[in-house]
């Protein structure tokens, strides 16, 4: 990966990020490997320098990425896995199987049909491909290890030294293997019973938290041993990012946002009766709301927006500041956009000029699907598996059997969110991908954390919420 994708010192202005392979049911091994590695690295970095638990959050709707992503996170010792945007009933079992390094079957829903397609992800095969089992420090394959990469070739791509970091990859014992056993290429549904990578299993299983909007779904998941998670996040529709649609038929209000009614408010007494820990999310970033949640039986709250605007967040600093300034000037609107997300869930879009919320920016952007994380599989007229996304170029989507009306108002969240994190692709003709900003609709916390629109740190959010801020100041 270093040979192929890493650029020492970063890209020069105007230089493009190298194209990545996309996840798919056939010949998707390299994309799976990158997904494992990307998730591994995110968790590994998040765990550096402290002993507090680290969780990772997935959208169930991104079906092909879930198993490889989860496996990478497990290898890095993730403590908690949170899954929303879909029904995550299969995730507890998926997690169990991956910690045992067993191949998992993913039932992919083929868009527009009642049909499922069973795809197998084999963790042992992925590690076989990385030669993680060799325990030699250098894993590049020696001379010629850099296949076609800009730093490839003998002596240039390989760092050639054993890993300095003494942390172990989870509690894996990596042992040298017989050369023939190192690479397992098969991802068939009938793999050998024993893993071939020399990894001592099982790995540590993270806690699974299902993100749901109502106790009804929580009760349903809690009924069966196979689907019951270790906890629930009850997320209401004001929360940042995606949220559940209103129950029943969708209706829009005068601003074109989904209209939620009393049936969309979670009954927390029912939730408490399920007797599994739960956290409340969506506009809960306030000490009194945390106390109220706990009084109603919640274990705590989940907060997103207050951290998205703090100094440690992955949002580009300029965008963070623009959001705080606009909020301070009482000019920040966050729209619950029913169309924006290709995932078809309502998605909160913060309205900031120069981003994809701006109609001028939106119209000027040429549609392209070059990352493909949100592509959905479908059955082509010829019977093969194809992939499509309603935010891709309209003509291509229609050619793939998608309806024109489905493409209206869709934003490319793949490119937009990467741009928000400062990793936007530079498209031809000097067009940089514009960012898209998501935030919750309740920003009351800013009057306490950032009364003048200025910066604040993550630790201040935690201290303020838990009532330890004054004590820390006095100290
Ligand atoms: C910038 C941002 C990105 C988010 N992305 C996701 C996501 O990818 N998946 C998810 O389940 N929740 C996501 N959320 C929701 C948070 O996990 C959390 O539940 C929510 O922010 C809590 O409500 P609050 O925004 O009012 O604090 C996101 C929130 C923000 C602010």
């Amino acid at each position: 990966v270093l040979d192929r994708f890493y650029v020492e010192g970063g890209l020069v202005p105007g230089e493009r990020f190298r194209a990545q392979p996309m996840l798919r049911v056939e010949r998707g091994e390299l994309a799976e490997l990158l997904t494992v590695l990307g998730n591994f690295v995110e968790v590994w970095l998040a765990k550096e320098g402290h002993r507090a638990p680290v969780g990772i959050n997935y959208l169930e709707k991104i079906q092909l990425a879930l198993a490889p992503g989860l496996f990478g996170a497990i290898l890095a010792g993730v403590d908690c896995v949170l899954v929303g945007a879909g029904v995550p009933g299969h995730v507890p079992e998926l997690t169990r199987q991956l910690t045992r390094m067993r191949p998992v079957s993913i039932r992919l829903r083929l868009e527009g049909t009642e049909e499922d397609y069973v795809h197998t992800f084999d963790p042992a095969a992925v590690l076989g491909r990385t030669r993680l089992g060799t325990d030699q420090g250098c894993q590049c394959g020696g001379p010629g290890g850099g296949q076609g990469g800009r730093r490839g070739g003998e002596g240039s791509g390989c760092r050639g030294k054993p890993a300095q970091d003494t942390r172990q990859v989870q509690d894996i014992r990596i042992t040298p293997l017989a050369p023939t056993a190192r690479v397992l290429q098969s991802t068939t549904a009938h793999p050998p019973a024993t893993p071939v990578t020399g990894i001592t299993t099982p790995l540590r299983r993270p806690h699974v938290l299902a993100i749901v909007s109502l106790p009804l779904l929580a009760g349903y998941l809690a009924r069966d041993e196979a689907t019951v998670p270790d906890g629930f996040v009850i997320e209401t529709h004001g929360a940042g990012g995606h949220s559940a649609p209103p129950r029943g038929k969708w209706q829009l209000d005068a601003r074109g946002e989904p209209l939620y009614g009393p049936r969309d408010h979670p009954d927390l007494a029912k939730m408490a009766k399920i007797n599994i820990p739960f956290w409340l999310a969506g506009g809960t970033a306030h000490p009194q709301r945390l106390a109220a949640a706990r009084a109603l039986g919640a274990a705590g709250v989940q907060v997103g927006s207050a951290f998205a605007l703090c100094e440690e967040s992955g949002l580009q600093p300029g965008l963070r500041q623009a959001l705080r300034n606009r909020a301070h000037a009482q000019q920040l609107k966050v729209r619950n956009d029913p169309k924006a997300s290709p995932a078809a869930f309502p998605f909160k879009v913060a309205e900031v000029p120069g981003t994809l919320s701006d109609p001028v920016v939106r119209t000027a952007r040429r549609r392209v699907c070059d990352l493909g994380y949100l592509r959905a599989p479908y059955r082509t007229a010829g019977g093969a598996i194809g992939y499509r996304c309603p935010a891709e170029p309209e003509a291509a989507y229609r050619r793939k059997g998608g309806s024109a009306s489905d493409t209206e108002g869709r934003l490319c969240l793949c490119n937009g969110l990467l741009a928000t994190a400062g990793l936007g692709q530079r498209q031809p003709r000097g067009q940089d991908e514009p960012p898209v900003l998501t935030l919750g609709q309740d920003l009351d916390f800013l009057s306490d954390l950032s009364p003048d629109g200025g910066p604040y740190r993550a630790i201040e959010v935690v201290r303020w919420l838990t009532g330890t801020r004054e004590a820390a100041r006095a100290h």
Side-chain angles (χ1 to χ4, degrees):
V1 170
L2 286 177
D3 284 343
R4 192 151 171 179
F5 295 105
Y6 180 66
V7 180
E8 189 93 45
L11 299 182
V12 297
E15 196 181 1
R16 290 169 55 76
F17 288 99
R18 188 167 211 167
Q20 296 168 48
M22 296 186 194
L23 285 162
R24 48 195 307 130
V25 293
E26 278 154 8
R27 300 183 315 282
E29 288 85 356
L30 184 54
E32 279 184 346
L33 178 57
L34 288 172
T35 308
V36 171
L37 198 53
N39 282 264
F40 174 86
V41 168
E42 285 293 338
V43 173
W44 187 264
L45 293 176
K47 286 184 84 77
E48 266 180 348
H50 64 89
R51 297 182 144 270
V54 165
I56 194 159
N57 189 318
Y58 297 114
L59 303 180
E60 194 273 334
K61 182 108 196 204
I62 307 185
Q63 304 176 73
L64 276 167
L66 186 60
L70 190 48
F71 181 57
I74 288 170
L75 283 177
V78 77
D79 303 281
C80 246
V81 172
L82 300 95
V83 186
V87 181
H90 60 299
V91 180
E93 188 54 25
L94 183 67
T95 311
R96 271 189 285 276
Q97 296 303 330
L98 290 174
T99 56
R100 292 175 189 143
M101 295 275 295
R102 298 229 180 101
V104 289
S105 295
I106 323 277
R107 297 192 84 82
L108 299 170
R109 291 175 299 277
L110 296 187
E111 206 175 71
T113 68
E114 296 296 305
E115 187 190 343
D116 285 344
Y117 178 92
V118 179
H119 171 65
T120 302
F121 170 74
D122 184 347
V126 169
L127 293 189
R129 281 193 291 271
T130 66
R131 305 219 208 147
L132 189 61
T134 56
D135 196 27
Q136 301 298 309
C138 164
Q139 309 295 343
C140 79
Q147 294 159 359
R150 62 179 76 218
R151 298 166 56 243
E154 188 168 2
S156 63
C158 168
R159 306 234 158 138
K161 58 181 182 194
Q164 298 292 313
D165 196 331
T166 52
R167 281 195 290 159
Q168 275 190 316
V169 179
Q170 252 254 34
D171 53 355
I172 294 173
R173 320 263 179 278
I174 301 172
T175 53
L177 294 166
T180 47
R182 276 191 199 141
V183 182
L184 173 66
Q185 294 292 2
S186 159
T187 51
T188 60
H190 305 291
T194 45
V196 294
T197 52
I199 286 177
T200 308
T201 54
L203 304 166
R204 187 160 57 81
R205 188 182 84 82
H207 293 297
V208 175
L209 304 188
I211 307 171
V212 297
S213 60
L214 293 168
L216 190 71
L217 178 55
Y220 168 76
L221 294 174
R223 229 175 280 155
D224 189 327
E225 223 175 80
T227 59
V228 63
D230 301 295
F232 291 101
V233 175
I234 308 292
E235 195 184 66
T236 51
H237 54 82
H242 290 92
S243 40
R247 285 185 81 187
K249 196 167 171 282
W250 282 47
Q251 282 183 318
L252 301 182
D253 66 14
R255 275 171 50 106
E257 298 183 37
L259 204 57
Y260 292 86
R263 290 202 310 156
D264 298 301
H265 291 288
D267 179 342
L268 297 181
K270 274 195 190 150
M271 200 56 227
K273 276 194 200 137
I274 296 175
N275 222 7
I276 290 177
F278 65 97
W279 286 258
L280 297 186
T284 54
H286 195 282
Q288 281 161 8
R289 294 180 207 162
L290 168 60
R294 291 180 66 94
L296 289 166
V301 295
Q302 172 169 282
V303 167
S305 301
F307 291 113
L309 294 178
C310 81
E311 288 305 283
E312 289 86 350
S313 120
L315 257 67
Q316 272 194 63
L319 293 173
R320 260 183 348 235
Q321 190 58 57
L323 286 166
R324 286 198 305 259
N325 288 346
R326 287 183 80 77
H328 183 60
Q330 314 244 312
Q331 285 176 345
L332 183 60
K333 280 202 190 117
V334 179
R335 198 176 128 70
N336 195 13
D337 193 321
K339 284 285 205 176
S341 174
F345 285 96
F347 184 73
K348 246 49 62 36
V349 180
E351 298 188 343
V352 175
T355 70
L356 278 175
S357 66
D358 182 338
V360 178
V361 175
R362 198 186 280 216
T363 316
R365 177 182 182 269
R366 198 177 60 88
R367 282 189 177 218
V368 60
C369 184
D370 52 357
L371 294 169
Y373 305 125
L374 286 168
R375 298 184 319 166
Y378 74 101
R379 183 71 76 190
T380 67
I385 306 281
Y387 303 87
R388 67 188 184 199
C389 171
E392 72 180 311
E394 291 93 338
Y397 187 69
R398 283 202 310 274
R399 257 198 320 276
K400 295 175 186 175
S403 80
S405 62
D406 233 11
T407 63
E408 283 164 22
R410 301 288 182 199
L411 304 181
C412 176
L413 295 188
C414 297
N415 272 298
L417 288 171
L418 275 173
T420 304
L423 295 169
Q425 181 60 287
R426 299 96 194 263
Q427 301 296 8
R429 296 193 300 275
Q431 289 192 334
D432 289 354
E433 282 290 348
V436 61
L437 288 161
T438 185
L439 218 51
Q441 290 180 308
D442 177 275
L443 301 172
D444 288 357
F445 58 84
L446 282 174
S447 56
D448 275 285
L449 291 169
S450 172
D452 55 357
Y456 63 89
R457 303 192 69 88
I459 187 72
E460 292 175 59
V461 182
V462 177
R463 286 185 179 143
W464 173 64
L465 283 174
T466 55
T468 54
R469 185 164 66 160
E470 301 315 319
R473 275 187 186 153
H475 185 69

